[in-house]
Amino acid sequence: QVQLLESGGGLVQAGGSLRLSCAASGSIFAIDAMGWYRQPPGKLRELVASITSGDSTNYADSGKGRFTISRDNAKNTVYLQMNSLKPEDTAVYYCNADLYLGTPGYVEVWGQGTLVTVSS
């Protein structure tokens, strides 16, 4: 059973910082792209940032200059450093990864989500 476990969410004041972590566990042969998505209250889920196995990154315009995605392949973990947080960053943040499981091939897996609340 493979899973992604997120941590690091919480309540922070506007202008503050949070660091989200997401660790993949289980029988994983390799990990391709990893990413963070978010779903604000009453809105659709949207991409925040993604990172390839070669460390190429992509950011949504909303997070450029404030958010940094990184990964530690030895720990099967992806991070999202969020600085200068704004109330509009309030959302449930989800981790996503393409995991190579051997015979099944690549499988897209989602974490359970972690709530980030930014107060004004």
Side-chain angles (χ1 to χ4, degrees), residues 3-60:
Q3 63 177 352
L4 301 177
L5 184 61
E6 300 125 331
S7 61
L11 174 64
V12 64
Q13 289 188 332
S17 299
L18 281 176
R19 188 193 195 208
L20 305 183
S21 300
C22 171
S25 63
S27 298
I28 301 168
F29 284 75
I31 302 177
D32 195 2
M34 304 184 82
W36 289 95
Y37 289 72
R38 69 185 183 186
Q39 187 165 13
K43 297 184 178 180
L44 298 175
R45 191 174 299 188
E46 61 187 16
L47 174 70
V48 176
S50 63
I51 184 167
T52 68
S53 57
D55 287 340
S56 293
T57 58
N58 178 52
Y59 295 92

